[in-house]
Amino acid sequence: QVMKELFGINELEKELSQLLGIKEVIVVPGDTDQSNWVKKEIGRAGARVLQQLSIENQIVAVTGGSSVLAVAEMLTPSTVLKSTTFVPTRGGLDEAVELGANYIASMMAKKTGGRYRLLHVPDQLSPEAYEMLMKEQHIEKTLAYLKKSRIVLHGIGDAKKMALRRKSSPEVIKKLEQGEAVGEFFGYYINSKGQIIHRIPMVGLQLENLDQVELSIAVAGGTSKAEAIKAICSLSSVHVLITDEGAAEAILKKS
Ligand code: BG6
């Protein structure tokens, strides 16, 4: 706390919370773009917030991404988290396994002593395959868990970077460029006005379901994510944003 005051971080948190209309904003010192160590600090703050806001027997939905992974790495066992079930918001993405929501949900359970469920459904299914998989009991049950999530913990991505990381086709990349997409979350690509430019068809938590979730916690830092964070916070109701000084300063400067 003393350090935060020293760096004027409390002020940044207050200003950002007002600008974005988010109840609680936590800013960690530094810039994720400059040092990976800052992402670890975002993870530490994320783990602390999750512990604090948790209640017994809750369901926590988690997305993929390196920022949510950083939260998973910092989690430790606690009474409430031991009775928590972690569920991935979606099945597969064309990403590295460690960055996938399934892997992260299982890791959170392992770190906390909690439970987890997996969602074995690839994205971009054919209608026939979709029909068939939806009849699978295991999948049905996981989707039912997702709908009952009390907390959702998600990352926010830079649109271009996410499209490249997912090895999107040149057509999709062109669509994103033409639509001036700046941010991405849950497979939705958003422009600076908060409009959806493109979405990856998927099984799992949809944007509409987010309104039913009691608490949404977003973790994203780095100057390069400023536009993305602003856009997504204008579209979705984020209750707690955990970010870094780099992003916070860039968001406030550009507004
Ligand atoms: C993805 C999530 O896996 O990670 C997205 O589905 C998010 O919601 C993205 O935008 C962010 O990744 P990172 O590595 O920048 O935290």
Side-chain angles (χ1 to χ4, degrees), residues 62-65 87-91 97-106 118:
V62 295
T63 68
V87 191
T89 53
R90 57 197 309 190
V97 174
E98 316 82 65
L99 294 182
N102 273 305
Y103 174 80
I104 294 177
S106 74
L118 295 179

Side-chain angles (χ1 to χ4, degrees), residues 52-242:
Q52 283 167 351
L53 298 178
S54 286
I55 59 170
E56 271 177 52
N57 298 314
Q58 62 179 1
I59 297 167
V60 175
V62 295
T63 68
S66 59
S67 314
V68 180
L69 177 66
V71 176
E73 279 165 350
M74 293 295 177
L75 283 171
T76 50
S78 76
T79 318
V80 274
L81 291 179
K82 260 186 199 148
S83 66
T84 293
T85 305
F86 295 92
V87 191
T89 53
R90 57 197 309 190
L93 269 182
D94 302 325
E95 287 198 72
V97 174
E98 316 82 65
L99 294 182
N102 273 305
Y103 174 80
I104 294 177
S106 74
M107 181 170 181
M108 287 188 169
K110 200 168 160 198
K111 289 269 184 183
T112 58
R115 291 182 286 263
Y116 69 97
R117 288 197 65 90
L118 295 179
L119 192 55
H120 296 296
V121 186
D123 295 319
Q124 326 224 22
L125 286 173
S126 70
E128 301 77 38
Y130 178 85
E131 282 276 308
M132 255 168 67
L133 279 173
M134 283 308 104
K135 287 187 198 129
E136 282 296 324
Q137 243 185 29
H138 184 84
I139 290 169
E140 236 187 325
K141 209 164 159 202
T142 303
L143 291 175
Y145 265 78
L146 260 185
K147 288 215 174 94
K148 284 191 280 181
S149 315
R150 177 175 172 264
I151 298 182
V152 58
L153 175 64
H154 70 83
I156 292 173
D158 170 76
K160 183 94 185 276
K161 240 185 252 164
M162 284 310 295
L164 293 174
R165 196 160 100 187
R166 288 171 174 156
K167 300 181 189 70
S168 304
S169 68
E171 291 78 50
V172 168
I173 299 204
K174 202 165 157 210
K175 188 175 166 193
L176 296 178
E177 273 167 4
Q178 280 171 347
E180 294 175 350
V182 292
E184 182 280 344
F185 78 146
F186 295 101
Y188 292 85
Y189 288 86
I190 321 283
N191 69 11
S192 62
K193 295 191 189 102
Q195 294 159 332
I196 298 166
I197 300 303
H198 175 68
R199 109 176 241 220
I200 301 175
M202 56 164 190
V203 175
L205 203 75
Q206 311 293 320
L207 210 49
E208 307 87 80
N209 306 133
L210 276 186
D211 296 336
Q212 285 132 43
V213 178
E214 211 175 297
L215 284 166
S216 88
I217 306 171
V219 279
T223 308
S224 62
K225 279 192 186 178
E227 292 278 345
I229 295 170
K230 226 175 112 187
I232 273 132
C233 292
S234 74
L235 173 75
S236 154
S237 59
V238 172
H239 298 97
V240 187
L241 168 70
I242 300 158

